[in-house]
Amino acid sequence: MKWDAWGDPALAKELSADIKGLLAAALGVTGDATPGPAADEVLLHPSRITADDLKALAAAVGETNVSAADADRLPRAGGKSTPDLLRRRSRAPQDAPDAVVLPGDEQEIAAVLALCAERRIAVVPFGGGTSVVGGLDPERGGLTAVISLDLRRLDRLHDLDETSGEAVLGAGLTGPAAEALLAERGYELGHYPQSFRYATLGGFAATRSSGQDSAGHGRFDEMVRGLRVVTPAGVLDLGRAPASAAGPDLRELFLGSEGTLGVITAVRLRVHPLPAVKAYEAWSLPDFATGSAALRAVEQAGTGPTVIRLSDEAETMVNLAMTEQIGGAPAVTGCLAVTVFEGTAEQVATRHRLTRDTLLAAGATSLGEAPARAWEHGRFNAPYLRDSLLSAGALCETLETAASWSRLPRLRTAVTEALTAALPGALVLCHVSHVYPTGASLYFTVVAALGEDPLARWAAAKRAAGDTIVTAGGTITHHHAVGADHRPWMSDEIGELGVRILRAVKAELDPAGILNPGKLIP
Ligand SMILES: Cc1cc2nc3c(=O)[nH]c(=O)nc-3n(C[C@H](O)[C@H](O)[C@H](O)COP(=O)(O)OP(=O)(O)OC[C@H]3O[C@@H](n4cnc5c(N)ncnc54)[C@H](O)[C@@H]3O)c2cc1C
């Protein structure tokens, strides 16, 4: 993973002259951004970790698994939101964790947490480093130093129970590494967020990630049957049976806990055999209202697509312009919807037919399978486009929410208006990314000129959108999580009593307050 951009440098793409022309004409983008520094030119604030702390950490995890070198600190300086990338491009001194520690097992993690509590050192658990909400910001929280606890060495398939359809996997496995281990045995997880190639299972659990199999194996939290968590107060092994009435489900406390309550070391996940057959069909809907009503009809009837998503008019139009850049879906008018079906041949045929009938009755026109296949082919490429846009002088960022179906149309309009008012002339695109019987999530992409101070411009837009989401009855985040960026809205989301409950749990598990300060809990 590049330290100042997304993914694999070999996949980076230059924008064509045509696209740059469009950016200038539509958004007033005036020219390429000033290039950022090379990695060895970045100025990091000096590490505050002491030689004695480093020695103690090395005793816990081995000397080769501790580093305070700038080359190791820089790639863990934050996540991959647009503000993160803008900060990485700065030539001013940047903050970074004071050291990086790579534990190999639970005992080592417990030892690191104990010595950090004793020495008042903050700990930021680090999975794939793809947070887009400031979840990895190297906050010290008033303590003496902060370390990045990189979990990549927890990378084993511990167990596959084929009878029960469950696998126990190390929290540090990336999406592709986990799928490869399971595929050897004919199984898959089927969790495909756009960050799939780099994010880890522990990160998915800690943020309640949602994959692009938006109506199938979408939410990671729903796949988690069990969790092992190391906290400063001890180790928890949660989730014994497929269902239980033994009081509140404590797994729920750690799903979405974002490194503030403990370190997830292994997850027991529901797995399923690799699908025998897949089918694809794309659709054109005349407008967003008809399209979202059609998706609602499909979901409420339970016809069973694995993927169903709907772009609004603006996103459908931009897909046309960007097709070549991101390898995405070809042009359609109105609103593009994509459906994908998985299972045995018989299941796929039935699911496809029922979904097709429902969509046709709701006003959809079939576009055949090509646009849906093209969407799947290009679905992990869009983040590279964001880097190209930033380099070409355009600010590009996303945000997401969810609400019940009855609130959805008003929420979409209100958020679009708030973003456009904060960034006049910006292009605001939206799609329905995940559907549920009672509601859906909305995913917004905003493209605007970088301007003089892009960080301040985006902060104002984000504030306006967040306030609007809360007022319109949406959740502040459907899947990106809270981190530092959504923390100001947590009291609105769960109420003051809810905040006190989270603080009380944290005080019990992490009395020294070392775990990921400044995130999630106000
Ligand atoms: C281009 C791009 C596309 C994205 N697409 C999606 C998407 O489709 N769906 C989606 O849901 N999200 C998406 N995200 C957000 C992000 O990828 C997810 O939040 C992901 O789950 C984070 O996993 P990670 O391993 O990278 O965790 P990190 O970014 O390393 O960490 C995220 C948070 O979890 C904590 N954490 C990580 N591992 C552990 C652990 N083992 N124990 C305890 N705490 C831990 C960290 O401290 C931090 O607070 C996207 C991000 C980017 C940059």
Side-chain angles (χ1 to χ4, degrees), residues 43-50 53 68 70 73-74 76-78 88 93-100 116-117 119-124 134-148 484 487 506 510 512-519:
L43 293 175
L44 292 185
H45 291 300
S47 170
R48 294 195 203 165
I49 200 105
T50 66
D53 291 336
D70 284 359
R73 296 169 63 213
L74 179 62
R76 280 98 170 175
R88 293 299 87 77
Q94 301 184 24
D95 216 355
D98 297 302
V100 177
C116 286
R119 290 166 183 252
R120 295 181 44 74
I121 297 170
V123 178
V124 180
L136 299 165
D137 289 356
E139 281 268 338
R140 292 176 188 80
L143 305 179
T144 59
V146 56
I147 61 164
S148 176
R487 193 170 167 241
K506 176 145 176 99
D510 178 23
I514 56 169
L515 282 170
N516 216 0
K519 322 292 159 44

Side-chain angles (χ1 to χ4, degrees), residues 155-285:
D155 61 355
R156 286 178 47 211
L157 169 61
H158 295 279
D159 185 38
L160 173 64
D161 174 349
E162 300 188 23
T163 309
S164 311
E166 286 184 343
V168 181
L169 292 138
L173 281 164
T174 60
E179 291 293 7
L181 286 169
L182 291 171
E184 280 174 20
R185 311 269 295 268
Y187 284 82
E188 72 159 7
L189 287 174
H191 184 70
Y192 297 113
Q194 201 177 48
S195 52
F196 166 75
R197 288 185 178 143
Y198 298 94
T200 60
L201 304 188
F204 294 153
T207 61
R208 290 186 182 272
S209 162
S210 266
Q212 293 179 356
D213 286 0
S214 47
H217 330 287
R219 291 196 68 88
F220 195 79
D221 48 14
E222 289 175 358
M223 301 163 66
V224 175
R225 312 313 319 153
L227 284 170
R228 282 188 67 85
V229 191
V230 178
T231 78
V235 179
L236 284 152
D237 189 354
L238 299 168
R240 169 178 303 196
S244 166
D249 188 344
L250 290 185
R251 282 175 305 186
E252 293 290 335
L253 259 184
F254 294 93
L255 293 167
S257 60
E258 302 185 38
T260 62
L261 301 179
V263 179
I264 298 165
T265 56
V267 278
R268 186 152 43 79
L269 298 169
R270 198 180 63 208
V271 295
H272 50 266
L274 287 163
V277 177
K278 278 178 101 169
Y280 302 79
E281 190 158 14
W283 307 88
S284 173
L285 279 307

Side-chain angles (χ1 to χ4, degrees), residues 87-470:
R87 282 191 280 267
R88 293 299 87 77
R89 287 169 183 231
S90 162
R91 288 180 184 273
Q94 301 184 24
D95 216 355
D98 297 302
V100 177
V101 177
L102 294 100
D105 59 31
E106 283 185 356
Q107 290 69 31
E108 292 186 1
I109 293 171
V112 169
L113 295 186
L115 79 84
C116 286
E118 189 191 312
R119 290 166 183 252
R120 295 181 44 74
I121 297 170
V123 178
V124 180
F126 189 97
T130 67
S131 168
V132 281
V133 290
L136 299 165
D137 289 356
E139 281 268 338
R140 292 176 188 80
L143 305 179
T144 59
V146 56
I147 61 164
S148 176
L149 191 73
D150 190 320
L151 298 161
R152 69 183 56 196
R153 291 177 64 210
L154 308 183
D155 61 355
R156 286 178 47 211
L157 169 61
H158 295 279
D159 185 38
L160 173 64
D161 174 349
E162 300 188 23
T163 309
S164 311
E166 286 184 343
V168 181
L169 292 138
L173 281 164
T174 60
E179 291 293 7
L181 286 169
L182 291 171
E184 280 174 20
R185 311 269 295 268
Y187 284 82
E188 72 159 7
L189 287 174
H191 184 70
Y192 297 113
Q194 201 177 48
S195 52
F196 166 75
R197 288 185 178 143
Y198 298 94
T200 60
L201 304 188
F204 294 153
T207 61
R208 290 186 182 272
S209 162
S210 266
Q212 293 179 356
D213 286 0
S214 47
H217 330 287
R219 291 196 68 88
F220 195 79
D221 48 14
E222 289 175 358
M223 301 163 66
V224 175
R225 312 313 319 153
L227 284 170
R228 282 188 67 85
V229 191
V230 178
T231 78
V235 179
L236 284 152
D237 189 354
L238 299 168
R240 169 178 303 196
S244 166
D249 188 344
L250 290 185
R251 282 175 305 186
E252 293 290 335
L253 259 184
F254 294 93
L255 293 167
S257 60
E258 302 185 38
T260 62
L261 301 179
V263 179
I264 298 165
T265 56
V267 278
R268 186 152 43 79
L269 298 169
R270 198 180 63 208
V271 295
H272 50 266
L274 287 163
V277 177
K278 278 178 101 169
Y280 302 79
E281 190 158 14
W283 307 88
S284 173
L285 279 307
D287 53 58
F288 189 75
T290 311
S292 53
L295 264 60
R296 174 165 57 83
V298 166
E299 181 61 13
Q300 290 182 341
T303 64
T306 305
V307 176
I308 187 161
R309 50 193 284 134
L310 170 80
S311 294
D312 72 356
E313 293 87 344
E315 189 173 282
T316 301
M317 202 175 68
V318 168
N319 268 351
L320 157 66
M322 296 295 180
T323 296
E324 206 185 305
Q325 290 288 331
I326 63 172
V332 288
T333 54
C335 293
L336 173 72
V338 166
T339 52
V340 182
F341 307 87
E342 288 182 2
T344 63
E346 206 172 34
Q347 286 167 336
V348 166
T350 307
R351 290 168 186 168
H352 195 170
R353 179 175 50 77
L354 292 174
T355 304
R356 166 172 256 275
D357 290 349
T358 311
L359 286 174
L360 288 172
T365 309
S366 175
L367 298 168
E369 66 172 22
R373 280 189 184 275
W375 167 79
E376 188 180 75
H377 178 71
R379 65 179 167 165
F380 298 126
N381 293 347
Y384 292 100
L385 182 61
R386 176 180 59 162
D387 295 326
S388 314
L389 286 165
L390 280 178
S391 299
L395 179 72
C396 175
E397 182 57 308
T398 62
L399 57 89
E400 35 74 63
T401 177
S404 50
W405 287 112
S406 55
R407 288 182 170 154
L408 211 64
R410 196 165 61 84
L411 179 62
R412 172 174 164 261
T413 309
V415 174
T416 304
E417 284 173 1
L419 287 166
T420 318
L423 293 170
L427 194 57
V428 179
L429 320 175
C430 180
H431 64 257
V432 173
S433 64
H434 297 80
V435 291
Y436 306 94
T438 57
S441 65
L442 293 174
Y443 187 93
F444 294 87
T445 303
V446 185
V447 188
L450 272 179
E452 283 296 301
D453 187 348
L455 280 171
R457 268 162 72 70
W458 177 250
K462 178 79 183 172
R463 231 180 354 261
D467 290 346
T468 305
I469 284 170
V470 166

